[in-house]
Amino acid sequence: MTEQLINGILTDSVYGSLLSETISTGIKSDNRTGVPTIGTCYANTQYPLWGASVPLISSKAVNLKPLLVELEWYLKGTGDVSFLRENGVKIWEAWTRKDGTLGPVYGKQWRRWQDTRIINAEENRAGENEYAERGYSIEGYVGENKERVVLTREIDQLQRIVDTLKTNPTDRRMMMSAWNVGELEDMALPPCHFMFHVWSREMIFEERLRQAVAIGKVHADYQHESRFTALLAQISDEGQASEKMLDALDIPKRALCSAMIQRSVDVFVGMPFNIAGYGILTALIAKVTNHMPMLFSHFGLDVHVYENHQGGVEEMMAREIPEDSNPIVIFPESWESVDDFRWNDVRIEGYNPHPWIKVPVAV
């Protein structure tokens, strides 16, 4: 069995174990939706990303178009749903306001976190250059004599992660939050998945080569030319690989792991979407920062299954995990920035899941 097939089976096995644990706890709870849940708390699961794998479960199908369109919407940094509507994605319609927005949710916080502070005018004059360098501009003044100054800036948390991975990859502060306490009341729905963190490490030559070859084989299988397929061709010609060879082809020296924290986890409907989306996001960040994606960890706080999903859960758990489903992700080689992401240019290959299982969504 190939390494990629093992990854696919691991994803379903890990997810299935959490689903089983969640419904077996028997802890019943009421909630704002009016549909009771059965659940547990503080659950951690991990999913392999090596070899271009993406954590898509195969025991039931995950709808790829809404998944990818939603991710591009996040990356655009807006709470306006017009982009989703233009692409026929309705997953957020139940929460959308009459003005066509959800408020400052997810992507707005990822890419345009609003930072406003009021300082006295004297302090502003003393630190004018420092504030300007940090991206602040003067929004206005407070007081009869303008003795206080209102400074504002927008923070692109995601771009900060990208820049830090390029310049200081051992930094331990590479995270972004969607939990903006000052704007929670402006959101149609407070963020469920609210914290994302990445961790970079250097690989020894043997691991670096093994991971690069794994990606190269996947790219070759799907006729995608890349530096990884060039590595395979060069190894074939020369009979062996060297560190010098990998360096000449700019094969990444570092591996990227990531983690997401989710306050409320609808295990059957929402979680498959969430782990796949963050797995793809991690792969995208790895690509534009010259890393190889390695592992994604998911931390659930309130982890639950809705009572009206029980029939779907039983149907899925009666299925065998497909042994021929090996979902992997391929991006265009030309992409150099997270802003290059276009949902319809992402290739998800090798995904052969069992059919989708329809259940009601609690709103």
Side-chain angles (χ1 to χ4, degrees), residues 72-87:
E72 183 174 345
W73 176 62
Y74 289 158
L75 295 175
K76 288 181 178 298
T78 178
D80 188 311
V81 301
S82 58
F83 177 77
L84 299 176
R85 290 174 171 174
E86 289 165 7
N87 287 281

Side-chain angles (χ1 to χ4, degrees), residues 41-174:
C41 65
Y42 307 140
N44 172 225
T45 51
Q46 296 185 325
Y47 304 91
L49 303 179
W50 59 81
S53 290
V54 60
L56 278 160
I57 66 166
S58 299
S59 298
K60 66 165 184 166
V62 175
N63 194 340
L64 296 179
K65 181 182 175 181
L67 170 68
L68 296 171
V69 170
E70 181 187 55
L71 180 54
E72 183 174 345
W73 176 62
Y74 289 158
L75 295 175
K76 288 181 178 298
T78 178
D80 188 311
V81 301
S82 58
F83 177 77
L84 299 176
R85 290 174 171 174
E86 289 165 7
N87 287 281
V89 172
K90 301 179 180 180
I91 56 177
W92 281 101
E93 286 299 315
W95 295 275
T96 301
R97 296 166 175 163
K98 291 181 180 180
D99 64 356
T101 73
L102 293 160
V105 296
Y106 294 111
K108 168 66 167 62
Q109 304 302 335
W110 288 10
R111 309 302 309 271
R112 296 168 51 216
W113 179 289
Q114 190 71 35
D115 176 18
T116 300
R117 60 176 64 193
I118 300 175
I119 62 175
N120 63 57
E122 185 176 324
E123 182 183 348
N124 180 56
R125 285 191 292 271
E128 184 174 358
N129 292 335
E130 179 185 346
Y131 286 121
E133 288 173 2
R134 289 162 63 183
Y136 287 101
S137 60
I138 296 176
E139 183 73 15
Y141 297 88
V142 178
E144 293 182 3
N145 299 314
K146 298 183 178 180
E147 59 266 25
R148 289 185 292 171
V149 183
V150 181
L151 300 177
T152 66
R153 64 173 175 172
E154 286 185 339
I155 300 172
D156 189 337
Q157 298 185 82
L158 180 57
Q159 189 59 49
R160 281 188 172 187
I161 288 175
V162 169
D163 293 342
T164 305
L165 282 169
K166 290 179 178 180
T167 60
N168 184 24
T170 60
D171 190 281
R172 296 180 294 194
R173 305 170 185 175
M174 294 182 288

